[in-house]
Amino acid sequence: MTDEESARTHAASHSVSLERGLSILDAFTGDRSVLGIADLARAVGLNKSTTHRYVATLTSLQYLQQDPETKKYFLGPRAVDLGFAAIDSMELTRVTGPLLQALADETGFTTSVAVADGPDVVYVDRRRSTRRTSLAMDLNLHVGSRLPAYCTSMGKVLLAYRDPAALRQVLDRTDMARRGPKTITNREQLLAALAKVRQNGIAVNDEELAPGLRSFSAPLRDRSGDVVAAINIAVYLTMAPTTVEALAGRLEAPLRRTAAEISRRLGYRPSA
């Protein structure tokens, strides 16, 4: 690709509006945590009216808040949540990395960790086996990939351990469309499946997301005992043409063991 073609590709994928919005958020620092429109306009190199439009949007989305007396702005709860989420994800992946890779190498299958984001799961770590076997697979997924929770094993884990009110809110926002040949599209059937997850501590996805794809998932807990993420092993039928029960018999023990060790390193201590 020539420099000119590369520049055109970059321009086509570049969002000026997003860049400006993020630059406004970047203007808030430890020693400049409260800023007015004029301060922000100078900091990001925009005129006041343009800056005000971006600030109004960020405020409506709760990334900024306005002091009613001074009319100045400071970071809102959504921005704070993002910061804490970033810190938590860095801590999580620091712990999961070696153990997730070891699980992939032990089983020969791809392993992943995901966290909840509304009705979706977001991949924060993903490892392929270093074993040179036909079991290695490529799912066109990567860190940052997002999938609907209702039809994934990690999503089921993250849904299963939510409190009932939060779960209802998430399911109200979920379009339970058919994604694979065995997708659960009925809310009551999904709730029954989630109850089994809470009972067994393992979620199974049997061709619910895509044809031929199965996965098994377990919860990861932090020091408070809350489920903060999920870990899974994903298997294509072409790589292991056997029953779900046979796969579970082979994979559940190393999956549970790895999930327990990650949770222990995150500070979780199960009650006696």
Side-chain angles (χ1 to χ4, degrees):
M1 180 181 290
T2 66
D3 290 344
E4 183 179 349
E5 289 172 332
S6 179
R8 284 200 300 268
T9 299
H10 174 74
S13 61
H14 188 74
S15 171
V16 174
S17 293
L18 178 59
E19 181 181 29
R20 288 175 174 177
L22 291 175
S23 68
I24 288 173
L25 295 179
D26 282 342
F28 292 88
T29 62
D31 57 349
R32 302 186 70 203
S33 60
V34 180
L35 299 169
I37 293 294
D39 301 320
L40 288 167
R42 283 193 297 272
V44 300
L46 298 173
N47 61 48
K48 289 183 181 179
S49 61
T50 301
T51 302
H52 189 272
R53 288 201 305 273
Y54 284 105
V55 167
T57 300
L58 290 168
T59 302
S60 69
L61 295 173
Q62 296 187 318
Y63 286 99
L64 293 178
Q65 284 187 308
Q66 186 180 40
D67 186 311
E69 294 183 2
T70 66
K71 304 302 182 184
K72 292 188 175 184
Y73 295 85
F74 54 94
L75 292 176
R78 292 290 296 277
V80 174
D81 287 345
L82 279 178
F84 282 122
I87 293 170
D88 289 344
S89 292
M90 286 186 287
E91 171 66 14
L92 179 63
T93 55
R94 183 186 66 79
V95 171
T96 61
L99 294 168
L100 196 63
Q101 185 65 59
L103 180 63
D105 291 340
E106 177 182 355
T107 62
F109 297 111
T110 298
T111 58
S112 303
V113 169
V115 297
D117 184 16
D120 298 333
V121 299
V122 178
Y123 283 69
V124 297
D125 204 348
R126 185 165 171 80
R127 303 298 173 107
R128 292 185 61 178
S129 173
T130 57
R131 285 163 44 181
R132 294 181 179 272
T133 72
S134 61
L135 297 182
M137 66 188 233
D138 184 4
L139 273 181
N140 193 30
L141 292 171
H142 50 80
V143 172
S145 289
R146 179 182 295 264
L147 289 174
Y150 76 98
C151 59
T152 60
S153 62
M154 289 191 289
K156 286 182 185 177
V157 164
L158 294 168
L159 291 174
Y161 293 96
R162 290 199 175 203
D163 70 76
L167 177 59
R168 283 195 300 272
Q169 290 180 353
V170 169
L171 294 183
D172 286 344
R173 297 164 53 195
T174 299
D175 175 18
M176 295 178 63
R178 185 168 298 281
R179 300 286 296 262
K182 298 181 183 179
T183 306
I184 298 175
T185 58
N186 177 276
R187 182 162 172 162
E188 292 306 313
Q189 290 178 356
L190 178 61
L191 290 173
L194 298 181
K196 289 183 179 180
V197 174
R198 289 191 296 272
Q199 180 181 0
N200 300 329
I202 293 287
V204 179
N205 183 326
D206 183 13
E207 297 190 277
E208 295 169 46
L209 175 65
L213 177 62
R214 292 167 167 170
S215 63
F216 302 84
S217 184
L220 301 178
R221 299 178 183 272
D222 65 6
R223 63 179 59 85
S224 68
D226 293 335
V227 173
V228 294
I231 182 175
N232 89 341
I233 304 172
V235 184
Y236 268 124
L237 269 171
T238 53
M239 299 170 183
T242 185
T243 65
V244 170
E245 291 76 17
L247 273 176
R250 173 184 169 187
L251 299 176
E252 279 192 15
L255 177 63
R256 289 182 189 273
R257 185 181 68 246
T258 302
E261 179 58 19
I262 291 173
S263 296
R264 187 190 70 80
R265 296 189 187 189
L266 291 174
Y268 175 60
R269 299 293 183 268
S271 56

